[in-house]
Amino acid sequence: MRWTQTLIPTLREAPAEAEIVSHQLLLRAGLVRKLAGGVYSFLPLGLRALRKVECIVREEMDRAGAIEVLLPALQPPEIWQQSGRYEAARQVLYKVYDSARREWVLSPTAEEVITLLVAAEIQSYRQLPRNFYQISVKFRDEIRPRFGLMRAREFIMKDAYSFDVSDEAAQQSYQRMYDAYARIFARCGLRTFAVEADTGVIGGSLSHEFMVPAETGENEVAYCEACGYAANLEKAVSAVAGGCSESPVVESPALERFPTPGVQTIADLAAEPYSVPPERQIKTLVYMVESRPWIVLLRGDDALNEAKLAARLGTTTFRPATAEEIEQWLRARPGSLGAVRSALRDTTVPVWADERLRGATDMTTGANEDGFHFRHVDVTRDLRVDQWGDLRLVRAGEPCIRCGESLRLRRAIEVGHVFKLGTKYSEKLGASFIDESGVRRPCVMGCYGIGVTRTLQAVIEQSHDADGIIWPVSVAPYEVCVTLLQSSPTGQVRETAERLYRELVEAGIEVILDDRDERPGVKFKDADLIGFPFRVTVGEKSLARGQIEIKRRAGGTPEAVSVDEAGARVAAYVREARRG
RNA sequence: CGGAGCGUAGCUCAGCUUGGUAGAGCACCAGCUUUGGGAGCUGGCUGUCGCAGGUUCAAAUCCUGUCGCUCCGACCA
């Protein structure tokens, strides 16, 4: 490709709309342009890089035995009602209406479509296992699109769905995808790590996310360097979660109500004159769960993990109660709330408590009357608790659940997610088969997503410097840029560059010839900004010595080689780099 | 949806407080010079000041509404 014949609108400055470096570089390098918030056009260079990622995904999915299909983006809402997800997914579903005012939804994912297809077309265990995948545009009405391609309304996703005859077989399918994912991201030049993940609205029993460590990531991950335990913070547990070891195992003195005028927060009660340390307080939260109040108890210094609460509740439609609602149900305002039996007027409100409070003694909590608290609270003796569970957010430095070493926290970008789904969808949508003994059984499913456009941006986020992108050869829009340093349309420099360009093209190298009438500085800056893995400079100065310069974007000193061997040398370097 | 901020040339931004002929740099076009790290000089082009309404002799500037964008929180590949 010749630079003058394509469209590469590089930008000297970053547009104000781009906050994180990968988003800025996507725009500055002329890879994408925004049409609207979370909606992007791919320009020639961006599309080439995107196709490279897609190609890697396709090769590895095929290698893992998955088969490619293409499912409709336009879906009837009825199938979402059939799976029972219409309500849960409604916030992310784009709805469109045809001329007959009939409603359609734009596909954010395809569990329903593929499961119905399998229900119709697969009847026998002989046709299993199968794993179907597609690479297609997905639509999600994101609450807040941001960071360019990272969280877009419209994005490209690879989604795969496996169907197996048994749980054991499904486990193998899951593992095959897990392994394929590790290969895919490695081939994209990404350093990723897998973490245990929450299953969210999709549901299922086992799940891992593939994470790219990055400060700008939207996920927080807890991990242990000693044993390799790693989990999304939504899911993470630590060794402190199981008890309240700090509490002395003594019998609490009798419950005592005492005045606490003006106390609103844990910190207020921890201050003079009360001086109750947060770990000796009980935090009482009130949530409205599908318009019903729900009390959640935690130790004063712990924070609620809403994902864990959602998992236990089996719904995501809950929110913190307003001060008015709290007053209505508990007759006190936030600041003096508690679940001491004698102070709970309404016994129909469920009380859930974090495991860490189990057996705790001599605690302090609100009395459900403004300006009063109880001290010497014995959780077992005095509190009403309907259900115990792990509800707290893990903090850095807590002991690892597996090995006891100190847990660390870091931010990361989620680029892939694998789920073991079980039979949730196959039962609802009728994907079943007849087994060897003639019994009809539901398929055991798994589903597996890769954010293809997000992966592309994650590569940039992870691989750049002050000058621009540093593409791994595997996803670079072009492997080599031949930089021609002469403006005149004829002459030895030009002829040499043209000859080298043709030689590389014929050698099967993906090469772009910078034939623009621009100053050298401009060409160098653009080549660095876009990040071609190899830059080959043909200019008067080195050519006078019969040489051409080869420079790697990733670093190292430029190498001068003779004109005659330049082509073969560059091609050899590229082939070596392709092998990784 | 809640909180914060911003909408002025293709891009980055000034001008708004205190109303009075819409600006700079980069980019773009022409010419001359320059040619190994975002050149110099000369000349030129570029705007419904996000949109609508209001106040005023007069609005980019003040007021109201609205739309869009960005950031923080809840959702996710």
mmCIF file of all heavy atoms in Angstrom, chain A residues 379-402:
data_model
loop_
_atom_site.group_PDB
_atom_site.id
_atom_site.type_symbol
_atom_site.label_atom_id
_atom_site.label_comp_id
_atom_site.label_asym_id
_atom_site.label_seq_id
_atom_site.Cartn_x
_atom_site.Cartn_y
_atom_site.Cartn_z
ATOM 1 N N VAL A 379 -23.657 -10.954 69.112
ATOM 2 C CA VAL A 379 -24.357 -11.192 67.847
ATOM 3 C C VAL A 379 -25.297 -12.387 67.943
ATOM 4 O O VAL A 379 -26.451 -12.334 67.534
ATOM 5 C CB VAL A 379 -23.342 -11.375 66.694
ATOM 6 C CG1 VAL A 379 -24.028 -11.898 65.446
ATOM 7 C CG2 VAL A 379 -22.653 -10.041 66.406
ATOM 8 N N THR A 380 -24.788 -13.476 68.510
ATOM 9 C CA THR A 380 -25.603 -14.689 68.603
ATOM 10 C C THR A 380 -26.798 -14.497 69.536
ATOM 11 O O THR A 380 -27.920 -14.907 69.233
ATOM 12 C CB THR A 380 -24.747 -15.858 69.119
ATOM 13 O OG1 THR A 380 -23.523 -15.869 68.395
ATOM 14 C CG2 THR A 380 -25.458 -17.180 68.948
ATOM 15 N N ARG A 381 -26.528 -13.806 70.617
ATOM 16 C CA ARG A 381 -27.551 -13.666 71.664
ATOM 17 C C ARG A 381 -28.597 -12.597 71.300
ATOM 18 O O ARG A 381 -29.789 -12.780 71.513
ATOM 19 C CB ARG A 381 -26.852 -13.262 72.972
ATOM 20 C CG ARG A 381 -27.776 -13.116 74.176
ATOM 21 C CD ARG A 381 -27.003 -12.514 75.350
ATOM 22 N NE ARG A 381 -26.595 -11.127 75.081
ATOM 23 C CZ ARG A 381 -25.705 -10.472 75.826
ATOM 24 N NH1 ARG A 381 -25.096 -11.045 76.840
ATOM 25 N NH2 ARG A 381 -25.387 -9.224 75.528
ATOM 26 N N ASP A 382 -28.112 -11.468 70.709
ATOM 27 C CA ASP A 382 -28.978 -10.294 70.630
ATOM 28 C C ASP A 382 -29.530 -9.966 69.251
ATOM 29 O O ASP A 382 -30.510 -9.247 69.134
ATOM 30 C CB ASP A 382 -28.221 -9.062 71.138
ATOM 31 C CG ASP A 382 -27.721 -9.243 72.571
ATOM 32 O OD1 ASP A 382 -28.476 -9.817 73.374
ATOM 33 O OD2 ASP A 382 -26.583 -8.833 72.845
ATOM 34 N N LEU A 383 -28.861 -10.410 68.191
ATOM 35 C CA LEU A 383 -29.274 -9.967 66.860
ATOM 36 C C LEU A 383 -30.224 -10.936 66.192
ATOM 37 O O LEU A 383 -30.183 -12.136 66.431
ATOM 38 C CB LEU A 383 -28.059 -9.796 65.942
ATOM 39 C CG LEU A 383 -27.106 -8.643 66.224
ATOM 40 C CD1 LEU A 383 -26.198 -8.448 65.017
ATOM 41 C CD2 LEU A 383 -27.849 -7.358 66.524
ATOM 42 N N ARG A 384 -31.056 -10.381 65.328
ATOM 43 C CA ARG A 384 -31.836 -11.251 64.470
ATOM 44 C C ARG A 384 -31.091 -11.382 63.162
ATOM 45 O O ARG A 384 -30.794 -10.381 62.510
ATOM 46 C CB ARG A 384 -33.217 -10.650 64.211
ATOM 47 C CG ARG A 384 -34.217 -11.766 63.916
ATOM 48 C CD ARG A 384 -35.541 -11.243 63.462
ATOM 49 N NE ARG A 384 -35.589 -11.279 62.030
ATOM 50 C CZ ARG A 384 -36.264 -10.392 61.313
ATOM 51 N NH1 ARG A 384 -36.884 -9.398 61.910
ATOM 52 N NH2 ARG A 384 -36.284 -10.494 60.009
ATOM 53 N N VAL A 385 -30.763 -12.601 62.790
ATOM 54 C CA VAL A 385 -30.101 -12.822 61.503
ATOM 55 C C VAL A 385 -30.827 -13.962 60.818
ATOM 56 O O VAL A 385 -30.942 -15.055 61.355
ATOM 57 C CB VAL A 385 -28.614 -13.179 61.685
ATOM 58 C CG1 VAL A 385 -27.996 -13.527 60.335
ATOM 59 C CG2 VAL A 385 -27.862 -12.033 62.339
ATOM 60 N N ASP A 386 -31.350 -13.693 59.634
ATOM 61 C CA ASP A 386 -32.078 -14.733 58.898
ATOM 62 C C ASP A 386 -31.149 -15.581 58.049
ATOM 63 O O ASP A 386 -31.401 -16.742 57.814
ATOM 64 C CB ASP A 386 -33.128 -14.091 57.990
ATOM 65 C CG ASP A 386 -34.134 -13.308 58.799
ATOM 66 O OD1 ASP A 386 -34.763 -13.918 59.682
ATOM 67 O OD2 ASP A 386 -34.255 -12.093 58.575
ATOM 68 N N GLN A 387 -30.066 -14.924 57.589
ATOM 69 C CA GLN A 387 -29.181 -15.683 56.720
ATOM 70 C C GLN A 387 -27.764 -15.146 56.820
ATOM 71 O O GLN A 387 -27.557 -13.932 56.897
ATOM 72 C CB GLN A 387 -29.662 -15.574 55.269
ATOM 73 C CG GLN A 387 -29.146 -16.730 54.435
ATOM 74 C CD GLN A 387 -29.734 -16.727 53.027
ATOM 75 O OE1 GLN A 387 -28.992 -16.741 52.068
ATOM 76 N NE2 GLN A 387 -31.058 -16.695 52.942
ATOM 77 N N TRP A 388 -26.805 -16.058 56.855
ATOM 78 C CA TRP A 388 -25.394 -15.679 56.892
ATOM 79 C C TRP A 388 -24.784 -15.861 55.520
ATOM 80 O O TRP A 388 -25.186 -16.736 54.769
ATOM 81 C CB TRP A 388 -24.633 -16.567 57.889
ATOM 82 C CG TRP A 388 -25.026 -16.329 59.318
ATOM 83 C CD1 TRP A 388 -25.982 -16.989 60.014
ATOM 84 C CD2 TRP A 388 -24.496 -15.342 60.192
ATOM 85 N NE1 TRP A 388 -26.082 -16.489 61.288
ATOM 86 C CE2 TRP A 388 -25.166 -15.465 61.419
ATOM 87 C CE3 TRP A 388 -23.511 -14.350 60.063
ATOM 88 C CZ2 TRP A 388 -24.898 -14.649 62.511
ATOM 89 C CZ3 TRP A 388 -23.227 -13.547 61.155
ATOM 90 C CH2 TRP A 388 -23.924 -13.696 62.365
ATOM 91 N N GLY A 389 -23.814 -15.060 55.222
ATOM 92 C CA GLY A 389 -23.141 -15.249 53.942
ATOM 93 C C GLY A 389 -21.908 -14.370 53.829
ATOM 94 O O GLY A 389 -21.701 -13.468 54.645
ATOM 95 N N ASP A 390 -21.093 -14.674 52.814
ATOM 96 C CA ASP A 390 -19.927 -13.841 52.542
ATOM 97 C C ASP A 390 -20.399 -12.662 51.701
ATOM 98 O O ASP A 390 -20.766 -12.826 50.541
ATOM 99 C CB ASP A 390 -18.874 -14.661 51.789
ATOM 100 C CG ASP A 390 -17.758 -13.775 51.252
ATOM 101 O OD1 ASP A 390 -17.463 -12.742 51.872
ATOM 102 O OD2 ASP A 390 -17.194 -14.117 50.193
ATOM 103 N N LEU A 391 -20.420 -11.496 52.283
ATOM 104 C CA LEU A 391 -20.975 -10.319 51.609
ATOM 105 C C LEU A 391 -19.990 -9.162 51.532
ATOM 106 O O LEU A 391 -20.291 -8.128 50.968
ATOM 107 C CB LEU A 391 -22.232 -9.839 52.374
ATOM 108 C CG LEU A 391 -23.392 -10.826 52.429
ATOM 109 C CD1 LEU A 391 -24.451 -10.340 53.415
ATOM 110 C CD2 LEU A 391 -24.009 -11.019 51.048
ATOM 111 N N ARG A 392 -18.806 -9.357 52.100
ATOM 112 C CA ARG A 392 -17.896 -8.219 52.224
ATOM 113 C C ARG A 392 -16.912 -8.127 51.067
ATOM 114 O O ARG A 392 -16.628 -9.108 50.378
ATOM 115 C CB ARG A 392 -17.133 -8.305 53.543
ATOM 116 C CG ARG A 392 -16.209 -9.512 53.625
ATOM 117 C CD ARG A 392 -15.573 -9.625 54.994
ATOM 118 N NE ARG A 392 -14.613 -8.564 55.273
ATOM 119 C CZ ARG A 392 -13.355 -8.572 54.845
ATOM 120 N NH1 ARG A 392 -12.896 -9.580 54.121
ATOM 121 N NH2 ARG A 392 -12.542 -7.595 55.143
ATOM 122 N N LEU A 393 -16.425 -6.933 50.907
ATOM 123 C CA LEU A 393 -15.414 -6.654 49.909
ATOM 124 C C LEU A 393 -14.044 -6.952 50.502
ATOM 125 O O LEU A 393 -13.713 -6.487 51.591
ATOM 126 C CB LEU A 393 -15.502 -5.157 49.551
ATOM 127 C CG LEU A 393 -15.220 -4.654 48.152
ATOM 128 C CD1 LEU A 393 -15.937 -5.457 47.091
ATOM 129 C CD2 LEU A 393 -15.633 -3.186 48.070
ATOM 130 N N VAL A 394 -13.260 -7.723 49.751
ATOM 131 C CA VAL A 394 -11.903 -8.039 50.202
ATOM 132 C C VAL A 394 -11.025 -6.787 50.111
ATOM 133 O O VAL A 394 -11.210 -5.967 49.214
ATOM 134 C CB VAL A 394 -11.325 -9.174 49.319
ATOM 135 C CG1 VAL A 394 -9.818 -9.245 49.433
ATOM 136 C CG2 VAL A 394 -11.960 -10.490 49.709
ATOM 137 N N ARG A 395 -10.101 -6.665 51.041
ATOM 138 C CA ARG A 395 -9.179 -5.531 50.990
ATOM 139 C C ARG A 395 -7.747 -6.004 50.825
ATOM 140 O O ARG A 395 -7.405 -7.134 51.200
ATOM 141 C CB ARG A 395 -9.311 -4.691 52.274
ATOM 142 C CG ARG A 395 -10.551 -3.805 52.244
ATOM 143 C CD ARG A 395 -10.696 -3.032 53.526
ATOM 144 N NE ARG A 395 -10.861 -3.956 54.665
ATOM 145 C CZ ARG A 395 -11.085 -3.539 55.909
ATOM 146 N NH1 ARG A 395 -11.162 -2.270 56.178
ATOM 147 N NH2 ARG A 395 -11.225 -4.414 56.869
ATOM 148 N N ALA A 396 -6.934 -5.120 50.278
ATOM 149 C CA ALA A 396 -5.517 -5.445 50.069
ATOM 150 C C ALA A 396 -4.874 -5.785 51.405
ATOM 151 O O ALA A 396 -5.187 -5.186 52.426
ATOM 152 C CB ALA A 396 -4.800 -4.268 49.417
ATOM 153 N N GLY A 397 -3.979 -6.775 51.387
ATOM 154 C CA GLY A 397 -3.238 -7.126 52.584
ATOM 155 C C GLY A 397 -3.864 -8.240 53.397
ATOM 156 O O GLY A 397 -3.236 -8.781 54.309
ATOM 157 N N GLU A 398 -5.119 -8.606 53.055
ATOM 158 C CA GLU A 398 -5.754 -9.697 53.800
ATOM 159 C C GLU A 398 -5.145 -11.034 53.385
ATOM 160 O O GLU A 398 -4.647 -11.171 52.271
ATOM 161 C CB GLU A 398 -7.267 -9.691 53.537
ATOM 162 C CG GLU A 398 -7.922 -8.466 54.157
ATOM 163 C CD GLU A 398 -9.411 -8.374 53.891
ATOM 164 O OE1 GLU A 398 -9.931 -9.206 53.114
ATOM 165 O OE2 GLU A 398 -10.032 -7.461 54.454
ATOM 166 N N PRO A 399 -5.204 -12.024 54.281
ATOM 167 C CA PRO A 399 -4.579 -13.313 53.948
ATOM 168 C C PRO A 399 -5.333 -14.060 52.842
ATOM 169 O O PRO A 399 -6.554 -14.081 52.811
ATOM 170 C CB PRO A 399 -4.635 -14.085 55.265
ATOM 171 C CG PRO A 399 -5.635 -13.388 56.104
ATOM 172 C CD PRO A 399 -5.698 -11.976 55.667
ATOM 173 N N CYS A 400 -4.568 -14.629 51.942
ATOM 174 C CA CYS A 400 -5.120 -15.392 50.823
ATOM 175 C C CYS A 400 -5.918 -16.583 51.344
ATOM 176 O O CYS A 400 -5.503 -17.273 52.272
ATOM 177 C CB CYS A 400 -3.972 -15.879 49.939
ATOM 178 S SG CYS A 400 -4.486 -17.020 48.649
ATOM 179 N N ILE A 401 -7.040 -16.830 50.724
ATOM 180 C CA ILE A 401 -7.932 -17.915 51.131
ATOM 181 C C ILE A 401 -7.270 -19.278 50.948
ATOM 182 O O ILE A 401 -7.587 -20.245 51.630
ATOM 183 C CB ILE A 401 -9.260 -17.830 50.340
ATOM 184 C CG1 ILE A 401 -10.302 -18.794 50.879
ATOM 185 C CG2 ILE A 401 -9.035 -18.085 48.860
ATOM 186 C CD1 ILE A 401 -10.930 -18.358 52.177
ATOM 187 N N ARG A 402 -6.319 -19.357 50.026
ATOM 188 C CA ARG A 402 -5.691 -20.648 49.750
ATOM 189 C C ARG A 402 -4.407 -20.858 50.535
ATOM 190 O O ARG A 402 -4.159 -21.939 51.044
ATOM 191 C CB ARG A 402 -5.343 -20.745 48.252
ATOM 192 C CG ARG A 402 -6.582 -20.786 47.392
ATOM 193 C CD ARG A 402 -6.370 -21.596 46.145
ATOM 194 N NE ARG A 402 -7.528 -21.434 45.271
ATOM 195 C CZ ARG A 402 -7.442 -21.090 44.010
ATOM 196 N NH1 ARG A 402 -6.271 -20.864 43.453
ATOM 197 N NH2 ARG A 402 -8.537 -20.975 43.285
#
